Amino acid sequence: MDVTSFGIDHDVLLRGVYVSRVDEVGGDFVTTFDVRMKEPNREPVIDTAIMHTLEHLIAIYYRGNKEWADKTIYVGPMGCRTGMYFVFKGKLTPSDVLSSITSSYEYVLNFSGEIPAAKANMCGNYLDHNLPMSQYESKKFLNEVLYGIQPENLEYPKINYS
Ligand SMILES: [Zn+2]
């Protein structure tokens, strides 16, 4: 297993939308995006309940998206809690996915009502959700990163081993 993300320099990694890896699976490509919401080791990470709500709502957003539903494989939190992984079919670049990712955070921001699938029979920890704070984090990420995204928020800084 090639863990590409171990070669990126987390000391200077900014928030943004990065290609984490492209895999070939059965003749087709799959692209994993690193959607980084926090600067690693330089700001507080996202609470688990917030990550959990983002996971549920962004999954629902993609399920209902005509263009992306069939291309979306998985969206879920990083173990380090500084961002989310978005996995799509195809060999894609950040510019291919930026508008749908932006819309997915806007969906969270504007969501009201009961969190989908947050029921004991559908979720492994159904009480562990936080809608207001997931909206706070979405708004912050939209305003501070996605709406004014720069080249340095779209390409990984590589570790210089020399
Ligand atoms: Zn759940």
Side-chain angles (χ1 to χ4, degrees):
M1 182 184 174
D2 163 43
V3 185
T4 313
S5 65
F6 290 174
I8 64 165
D9 190 349
H10 285 74
D11 284 347
V12 293
L13 179 64
L14 300 173
R15 295 174 293 173
V17 175
Y18 305 95
V19 174
S20 172
R21 54 188 296 142
V22 179
D23 292 287
E24 203 181 335
V25 184
D28 291 317
F29 287 104
V30 171
T31 306
T32 301
F33 287 92
D34 167 337
V35 178
R36 192 68 64 152
M37 298 175 66
K38 299 291 174 185
E39 293 188 4
N41 307 305
R42 278 164 283 144
E43 58 179 323
V45 300
I46 303 167
D47 183 74
T48 51
I50 300 169
M51 301 282 330
H52 191 191
T53 300
L54 289 171
E55 179 190 40
H56 276 232
L57 290 179
I58 292 173
I60 287 294
Y61 167 81
Y62 276 101
R63 189 191 292 176
N65 182 307
K66 276 196 184 75
E67 188 190 347
W68 286 94
D70 291 342
K71 296 182 207 160
T72 308
I73 293 175
Y74 172 74
V75 177
M78 294 177 183
C80 60
R81 292 190 278 129
T82 62
M84 312 275 292
Y85 285 117
F86 287 54
V87 186
F88 300 109
K89 290 180 191 170
K91 195 174 196 171
L92 304 172
T93 64
S95 62
D96 294 321
V97 297
L98 211 47
S99 85
S100 89
I101 288 174
T102 300
S103 299
S104 74
Y105 282 93
E106 287 170 339
Y107 176 82
V108 175
L109 180 58
N110 296 315
F111 186 85
S112 61
E114 231 174 87
I115 296 165
K119 295 255 187 342
N121 63 343
M122 291 188 263
C123 174
N125 193 359
Y126 78 104
L127 294 175
D128 193 37
H129 279 282
N130 191 336
L131 179 61
M133 282 305 292
S134 76
Q135 293 175 321
Y136 169 89
E137 292 290 3
S138 295
K139 189 175 187 179
K140 187 173 163 66
F141 189 49
L142 285 162
N143 287 332
E144 296 179 10
V145 182
L146 294 177
Y147 287 153
I149 202 143
Q150 299 296 313
E152 60 266 30
N153 308 109
L154 299 167
E155 197 169 330
Y156 271 150
K158 293 287 192 313
I159 288 180
N160 184 352
Y161 291 104
S162 61

